[in-house]
Structures are given as structure tokens and as C-alpha cells.
Amino acid sequence: MKKELPIALGLVAGLIWIITTYFTGPRWVETVHQELSKWYQLAGAYMVMVGVVNLTRVHGHRITQKKKDWMYSIVALVCMFGIMIFGIFIAKDSNNPGWKTFYSQIIAPMNATVYSTLVFYIASAAYRAFRIRNSQATILLVSALIMMLGRVPLGAMISPVIPQLADWILNVPNVAGMRGIQIGAAFGGIATALRVLVGIERGYMGGTE
Amino acid sequence: MKIVSGYVAAFWLELVFLVTLLVVIARARKGLKIPEVYKVAGLDHLDEAIGRATEMGRPVHFSPGIGYLDNAQTLAAFAILSYAAKACARYDTPIIVTNRYSVIYPITEGIVRQAYLEVGKPESFVPDNVRFIAEDQFAYASGVTGIMNRERPAANLLIGAFWAESLIFAEVGNSVGSIQISGTANTAQIPFFVAACDYCLIGEELFAASAYLSKDPVLMGNLIAEDWGKMVMIAFILIGAILQTFGNSSFTKLLAK
Amino acid sequence: MLSKIGNVDRRIIYVLLCAVIAIALIKPVGLAIKVSAETKKVYDAIDRLPPGSIVWLGFEFDAGGIPELMPAARAIIRHGFQKDIRFVCGGMWTMAGDMATMAFDAVKKDFPDKQYGVDWVNIGYRPGNTIWLDQMIKDAAAASAGVDSYGNPLADLPLMQEFTGIKDAKMMIIFVTGTPGTPEYIKTVSTPYGIPLAVSTISVEVPGTMPYINSGQVLGGVLGMKGAAEYEVLVNKPGSAVAGMDAQSFAHALIILFIILGNIGYILEKKNSVAK
């Protein structure tokens, strides 16, 4: 029953969602679709609570057992509940200036900082990966050089042919490859979704096979 | 009741695909012969990567990506996590699992716990090795790279839905000397993984993993249905390209309905 | 020595890259920018819209996307205001409202006659991903809890009398860094409702966006910082993207230099090992 009930619920909800997404006409289709959308949002919010309870349990256990680095668990719990208390009792809605300041002055710059480190990783990965080891690696290297030059004004300054070649790579071999991957991945995604829907794939139950 | 405009061709194609999938699964359940599946280097080398970690006495790191539970790639990653955790349990090699979502955290913990149980070593399971890092994308990225630098995993398994953090993980993994196996269906990140990792599961190979690793005939049946689907798509592309070349757009319009 | 050419410490690469980018940003040389077909298609599509048309702007990015997407957003809004286009914006990313505010704040000082609520409305971020987008198509008020990003009731804003949902938009332009992004808009809005979609994306997403542009599902693209710089040129207002193209050019040149050095080291090392 522990396994069958979630699978049955998932199957029924999934089928209703598929039908109301693909079909239109009667008013009930629209109503059911909208209602299920709200349920999805509510279920998502409820899932956050599941996460909060689980984190409290795990970190609480670490603190009471004085496990290695237990003091970091205190930091994690203080941050989690601190933000929660601020949001529910002080800020109350997402337009609160406190929230906005917190997000735009702390979270956003930190995110931008980590994101911008990517440029360094791109440089070191390119330096390490683009070696003329064999014919395939050489093709990869030549395409990379053309793209790097062709997508910046420097390429056109060297030769007007470079941007044209870069556009060709982007529009022909790239699109062909991307479409192949996208079509294959789409079928893989649909098949995985169906396996979950009919209960063949149960990994999301956390290994309760 | 009618089909939404723009979804007509997609609906019928998906319906035919789903029926094919169910037929193939039914045939597989009856024990009918399933064709061979081609070698997927990334999956074949999973054991080798875990074996290397065992020899070096260093842990294995697994990230199921940053996709939520409604992402098929995350679900596909669970199957690979289960396989990797069982192999680690057999060799007594620690497996560190880093999670972005607090909701996914108990699921991966359950998968790893179950893996230790299945190989008969429940006492070897270390709950602290399955970790929740942060729900924010780049906070998660920072946390994971910190763990990689401190615990220096010998094998780095990056399998699931990844976005901008993909190359950050792969480059840090490389700098600590990990053998790296990655897999994602996010097309923008595949080039990064291909360039920076030792092996990469590209697109659908990620979804094929559960079938490939388990050799379960029902799951293998899925792959056959997917191949049929792709063959139909190839035929459609050829028909569309030929007709369009001769100025006939009726087929393209039919598919766009 | 040979192994050093083929195996330069990554920290040296990082320091040099940082220096090159900084110098180019501080002292730009102004390399010539040629407008691509993809950017021109977006420009022409906005140009063709009758004055007064409403365009939906999807701010589907956060702080990480600012360097590439903010210049594009500013240039597109500038172009729209020049053509008397009105905008309603929002998004599925948590910083959608802030990103929209940042973009409009930068442009509105050049258009003193344009007013908030009349010429543009910022609905901001709402949770729910594609579920929210799906609701936004027909009933913006219900999907947004009846208020904009600043807490103003939507019913009080004149523009919202003409905009009941995205279905009322003549065109959608989205600024994207990842998921939710282009496929979600194609699947949820542009395919079933036939609303033209243009995309402005970060460079990393360009290869994945090209199939959609190629198939016509997306009418055109302002692709990466290059696209943003091209749009700035088209609206005669060179900004941070045009300046950024110099930095990008020199950064690429430096990476190419290291790739060449790496390969020289690799070849010499290979020859050396064969000779041994």
C-alpha cells in the first residue's frame, strides 16, 4: 500500500494533466486544468515543509550527538529558521524592502561572483581540452578557434570569412547535432515520464523497492 | 472536445509512441528476445572509476544535478546513483552525495541506504555522506567545489540536469585529480562536459542508463521503443526536407497543426 | 621546459585573463561591430509593430545574466519606446521584477513622457514556473494575485485594462539564461496561441537556441553580448555591450594563444618521447 497508493495517485493526476493540456473545448477541461495547476503549486509548497522537517531532523541529530563539525549545523538551522521567521512575521510579503535589499545586495552579487568565475574555468578547460590528439580532436579544435574568433569583432578584422564560417558552423553542423540530441532526449524524457507514471521507475521513492 | 491548436501532430505522435512503448514492455515481460544495446563508454567505466577510488583510498562524489523532482534527468540520475552506491558499498568506498534540493535529499539518502542494505552492509552506511548543500544554484556550486577541494574524491560522477555550474564542477574535479563521468540532456552544458570530463553521457544515454545498468528486459524494451520513435522522426525529417526542397510545405504544415 | 608550455599553471591563465578583460573594459579600443541577421530580424519585427502595440517582456534571468542580457533589454526597451510600443513584463525567475526595474530605470530618463502604468507595467516574479506562465496567458490578474511587482493593484494601472493576459500581446521577447526559458515559452505560449517569440540569450545558450530560430519557432535572436552590442548599434546608443565586445575579443585572443601554446608543447613533448 505504501508504494501502490502514490503510484495510483500519480497515474490519475498525470492522466488528467495530459488530457487537459492537450484538449480544449468544454468548460470543465479548463476548470480542471486550472485547479490542478493550483494543486501543483500547493504540493510544491508542502514539499518545502517536508524538506524543512528533514533538515531539522538531520542537523538536530548532528548537534545533539556532537558529530564532527556540528557547529556548522547550528549555523544552517539558525539561517533557515531566521529567514523563515523574518519572512513570515516581519517582512510578510515579497515586496518588503528588507527582502529586496537582502536579495539585491547579498544574494545577487554573490551569485554573479560565482557565475563570473566560469570565464576562468572556460579558459583553463579550453587550454587543457583542445589538443590535436587525433582527427576528431583536431576538428573540435579548429571549430572552437573559428567560433571564438568569428563571434567577436576581432575575427572580422582578421578576415571577413571567419564570421561567415562561424555562422555556418552555428547554423548547420551545430543545429544538426543539437536537433539530434534534443529529439533523442525528448524520447528519453517521455519514456522516463511514462515509466514513472505506470510505476516501473520508482527511484523517486528513495529506494523503497 | 478538440485538441489544442499546435498540439495536434504532437498529440498523435506521442500517443503512437506511448502505445509502442507499452506493447514493447508487454513483449519484454513475456520474455521475448531483446536486441543488444551498443556500448556506452561512460556507463561501462563506472566500475573502473569506483575501483580507482577504492585503490586510492579516496571517496567517490556523486551530484544528481540541480534539476527538481519533476525533471526526468533527475529521475534518471537516481538509477545511476543506486548502481554507483551499490558498487561503493561492495568495495567499502565512501560515496558522498551532494544535493541541491531539500526535497531530493531524503530520496538520495534513501537510495544510498537501500544500496548498502542490498549488498548486505547496512552498518557501513554513513548518513553524513549524503548532504544537503543549498537550494540556491551558485551557493550549491560553491559548497560542492568546497567539498571536492577538501575531500578530494578520486571519482567525480556528475549525472543529471546541470546548468552553469557544470564546468565549475568539472574543472575543480579535474584540478583535484578525479576521474570524471558526467551525463546530462541539457544541450548547452554537453560541450563543457565533453571537453572537461573523461566520459560523458550525451542526452538520451542518460535516460538509457537504468536499462543499461540493470539489464532489466522491461527497461530494455523502453530503449527499443525510443529507437523506433527516432526512426520515425528520421523518416519525417527526410520526407519534410525533400518536399520542402521541391516547394511543397503541406507536410510541414501538417506537423505544425 | 617543454612540459611547462604544454602545462601552464591554471592560475597564470586566470591572472592574465583577468588583466586582459580589465584593461579592455577600462580602455576600450572600439572594434567595429557588424549586425547579424538574427539580431536584425528582432529589430525589424519590433519596427513593424503598429504604435501602441503591447509586447510581453519575459525577464527570465538573475544577477549572473546581467552583463549579457541587461544591455539587450535596455536597447530593446529603448527601441520600443521610440516606436511607442508598450510593455508588460514579468518572469519565472526570482529576480525578474528587479531585472525589469533595472532595465526600465536606465531607459526611462531618456523618455520623460513615458509613464509607469501607462507605457509599461512590471508584474515581477511569481512562483509556479510554467504553471504560472500557463495562467498568465489568459488571466494576468489572477496569476499575479492582482498586484504588480511594487504592490500596486493591477486594476489601477491603465495599461492593464487592455492587457488581460499574454494572449493580448502582439509579440513576446524573452531574456533567458537557462530553464525555465525558451522551450517553456514555445511549448506553453507561442505554439498553442501563435504569438511571435523573440529571444535574447547568454552566449552559452546560443547553440541550443539556434534550432528554434532555424525552424521558425523563434523569429530571431539577440544572441549573447555580441547580439546586445549589435542592438545597441542599431538603436544608436552604444553601451556596456559594445564596450564588452572589446574585452571579449581580447579574452578570446588570449585563450586562443594559450591553446596554440598548449598544442606546441604537446607536439614537442610527443616528438621528444618518440625520440627517447
Side-chain angles (χ1 to χ4, degrees):
Chain A
M1 196 61 183
K2 195 182 161 191
K3 284 183 283 181
E4 282 77 12
L5 188 65
I7 292 170
L9 277 172
L11 179 66
V12 172
L15 286 177
I16 295 172
W17 183 256
I18 291 169
I19 292 166
T20 57
T21 299
Y22 274 112
F23 289 90
T24 184
R27 198 170 169 76
W28 67 265
V29 175
E30 189 89 2
T31 314
V32 169
H33 190 76
Q34 294 289 341
E35 206 55 40
L36 217 54
S37 302
K38 287 178 197 160
W39 285 21
Y40 176 86
Q41 283 169 301
L42 282 173
Y46 171 74
M47 296 275 273
V48 173
M49 280 311 295
V50 175
V52 169
V53 170
N54 190 52
L55 280 181
T56 311
R57 183 180 60 83
V58 170
H59 286 285
H61 181 72
R62 283 175 59 85
I63 295 165
T64 52
Q65 300 291 309
K66 291 262 185 334
K67 288 197 171 186
K68 187 175 170 252
D69 296 334
W70 60 274
M71 59 288 276
Y72 294 123
S73 291
I74 297 178
V75 177
L77 289 182
V78 166
C79 288
M80 185 171 77
F81 284 104
I83 295 283
M84 215 186 286
I85 290 164
F86 178 77
I88 297 169
F89 299 106
I90 301 168
K92 289 183 183 160
D93 80 89
S94 60
N95 292 310
N96 181 281
W99 269 141
K100 298 241 171 193
T101 310
F102 175 71
Y103 213 92
S104 60
Q105 304 302 317
I106 299 174
I107 304 279
M110 288 203 295
N111 271 346
T113 306
V114 180
Y115 183 68
S116 56
T117 59
L118 250 184
V119 68
F120 302 110
Y121 291 123
I122 287 173
S124 57
Y127 170 65
R128 194 164 43 78
F130 295 136
R131 298 280 160 98
I132 42 177
R133 291 187 186 94
N134 51 43
S135 54
Q136 286 178 345
T138 310
I139 293 171
L140 196 69
L141 167 71
V142 173
S143 323
L145 293 182
I146 295 170
M147 284 309 296
M148 272 192 272
L149 281 175
R151 296 288 298 166
V152 290
L154 200 63
M157 270 177 69
I158 297 167
S159 165
V161 179
I162 294 175
Q164 286 169 10
L165 273 174
D167 280 348
W168 181 81
I169 291 172
L170 203 56
N171 278 296
V172 184
N174 165 66
V175 168
M178 283 293 170
R179 281 218 180 109
I181 294 169
Q182 282 169 349
I183 290 171
F187 277 115
I190 296 169
T192 305
L194 184 80
R195 289 204 298 266
V196 171
L197 213 59
V198 297
I200 296 173
E201 188 98 40
R202 296 175 182 189
Y204 67 95
M205 291 185 178
T208 53
E209 306 261 348
Chain B
M1 197 151 79
K2 64 179 173 53
I3 302 171
V4 174
S5 159
Y7 283 180
V8 179
F11 174 76
W12 289 112
L13 281 171
E14 281 191 34
L15 192 67
V16 170
F17 176 63
L18 292 184
V19 171
T20 312
L21 203 57
L22 293 173
V23 169
V24 174
I25 289 172
R27 281 172 61 90
R29 278 197 168 137
K30 279 183 195 160
L32 293 172
K33 196 175 173 288
I34 300 291
E36 286 273 311
V37 179
Y38 78 90
K39 291 270 177 200
V40 180
L43 295 173
D44 283 343
H45 286 84
L46 261 179
D47 287 311
E48 182 196 318
I50 295 165
R52 181 175 176 264
T54 310
E55 281 170 18
M56 296 172 79
R58 278 160 57 182
V60 170
H61 168 247
F62 188 100
S63 166
I66 63 164
Y68 197 57
L69 206 49
D70 59 0
N71 192 315
Q73 297 180 64
T74 310
L75 300 173
F78 292 158
I80 302 177
L81 171 62
S82 174
Y83 182 87
K86 278 179 205 161
C88 287
R90 264 193 294 275
Y91 302 138
D92 281 324
T93 301
I95 180 166
I96 300 167
V97 184
T98 49
N99 297 286
R100 178 195 181 180
Y101 287 110
S102 54
V103 171
I104 289 173
Y105 172 36
I107 296 172
T108 53
E109 191 190 358
I111 290 170
V112 178
R113 189 189 295 274
Q114 178 76 17
Y116 276 82
L117 199 68
E118 279 180 30
V119 299
K121 294 182 180 173
E123 71 289 346
S124 301
F125 171 63
V126 182
D128 282 354
N129 280 346
V130 184
R131 302 169 194 174
F132 164 75
I133 309 296
E135 300 227 350
D136 184 87
Q137 179 186 14
F138 291 111
Y140 173 70
S142 307
V144 172
T145 51
I147 287 172
M148 281 187 204
N149 275 312
R150 285 191 299 276
E151 312 207 16
R152 307 182 79 78
N156 195 19
L157 311 178
L158 307 168
I159 293 164
F162 288 89
W163 280 269
E165 68 292 336
S166 65
L167 191 62
I168 299 177
F169 289 178
E171 274 301 280
V172 174
N174 177 269
S175 72
V176 299
S178 307
I179 181 168
Q180 307 201 90
I181 299 176
S182 58
T184 189
N186 284 2
T187 49
Q189 307 308 323
I190 291 170
F192 291 141
F193 274 155
V194 169
C197 295
D198 299 281
Y199 302 99
C200 179
L201 306 176
I202 297 172
E204 64 195 296
E205 288 176 348
L206 171 65
F207 300 112
S210 60
Y212 191 87
L213 294 171
S214 67
K215 310 282 181 214
D216 181 289
V218 173
L219 294 175
M220 293 290 250
N222 267 245
L223 302 185
I224 299 162
E226 286 172 39
D227 277 358
W228 276 107
K230 276 188 285 178
M231 280 189 253
V232 171
M233 281 299 126
I234 292 168
F236 278 11
I237 290 169
L238 286 174
I239 295 167
I242 292 166
L243 288 177
Q244 201 76 40
T245 307
F246 289 102
N248 185 335
S249 58
S250 53
F251 190 68
T252 323
K253 281 180 184 157
L254 184 75
L255 288 184
K257 270 195 175 174
Chain C
M1 181 63 196
L2 294 180
S3 63
K4 275 187 183 166
I5 299 176
N7 200 14
V8 176
D9 189 326
R10 65 181 71 214
R11 284 168 296 187
I12 296 173
I13 303 176
Y14 297 165
V15 169
L16 285 175
L17 197 63
C18 196
V20 163
I21 292 171
I23 292 166
L25 283 174
I26 295 163
K27 272 227 163 279
V29 290
L31 296 169
I33 289 160
K34 190 173 170 280
V35 177
S36 68
E38 284 80 19
T39 309
K40 190 71 174 46
K41 278 182 203 164
V42 180
Y43 181 86
D44 290 344
I46 296 175
D47 227 40
R48 278 195 299 269
L49 291 173
S53 300
I54 301 173
V55 170
W56 168 258
L57 297 181
F59 282 82
E60 310 300 355
F61 66 102
D62 58 21
I66 290 174
E68 292 193 270
L69 299 178
M70 195 52 77
R74 286 195 297 253
I76 287 170
I77 293 167
R78 183 175 298 281
H79 184 207
F81 278 172
Q82 284 166 355
K83 304 289 298 179
D84 281 330
I85 304 293
R86 294 173 297 168
F87 297 105
V88 179
C89 50
M92 297 172 273
W93 284 57
T94 39
M95 288 200 74
D98 300 291
M99 295 296 109
T101 304
M102 200 186 278
F104 279 95
D105 279 353
V107 180
K108 71 180 181 193
K109 59 180 182 288
D110 294 336
F111 295 89
D113 56 320
K114 300 292 178 191
Q115 284 177 13
Y116 182 77
V118 177
D119 298 292
W120 84 94
V121 167
N122 179 8
I123 284 174
Y125 160 73
R126 290 291 181 275
N129 282 347
T130 46
I131 303 286
W132 170 76
L133 189 62
D134 191 42
Q135 289 175 331
M136 270 300 292
I137 299 168
K138 288 180 181 165
D139 195 345
S144 319
V147 290
D148 68 2
S149 187
Y150 315 108
N152 304 312
L154 292 180
D156 295 349
L157 305 171
L159 179 56
M160 295 310 286
Q161 310 307 316
E162 295 174 57
F163 183 90
T164 54
I166 299 178
K167 64 176 174 45
D168 295 327
K170 287 275 182 285
M171 184 180 170
M172 296 182 289
I173 304 169
I174 55 170
F175 305 93
V176 294
T177 52
T179 306
T182 312
E184 285 70 24
Y185 270 88
I186 292 174
K187 197 169 59 184
T188 315
V189 197
S190 67
T191 299
Y193 293 91
I195 303 166
L197 173 68
V199 171
S200 170
T201 178
I202 54 167
S203 302
V204 171
E205 289 285 323
V206 174
T209 308
M210 289 314 289
Y212 301 118
I213 296 178
N214 221 288
S215 64
Q217 286 164 300
V218 170
L219 67 87
V222 181
L223 306 173
M225 191 179 279
K226 180 178 183 279
E230 290 166 5
Y231 218 102
E232 285 182 345
V233 169
L234 282 169
V235 295
N236 282 321
K237 185 86 180 170
S240 61
V242 169
M245 283 318 287
D246 284 353
Q248 208 173 341
S249 287
F250 295 124
H252 283 196
L254 183 73
I255 295 170
I256 290 169
L257 182 74
F258 273 110
I259 292 173
I260 293 168
L261 280 178
N263 278 285
I264 293 170
Y266 176 73
I267 292 165
L268 292 176
E269 213 173 60
K270 214 168 149 185
K271 272 187 182 166
N272 210 22
S273 63
V274 169
K276 276 180 186 171

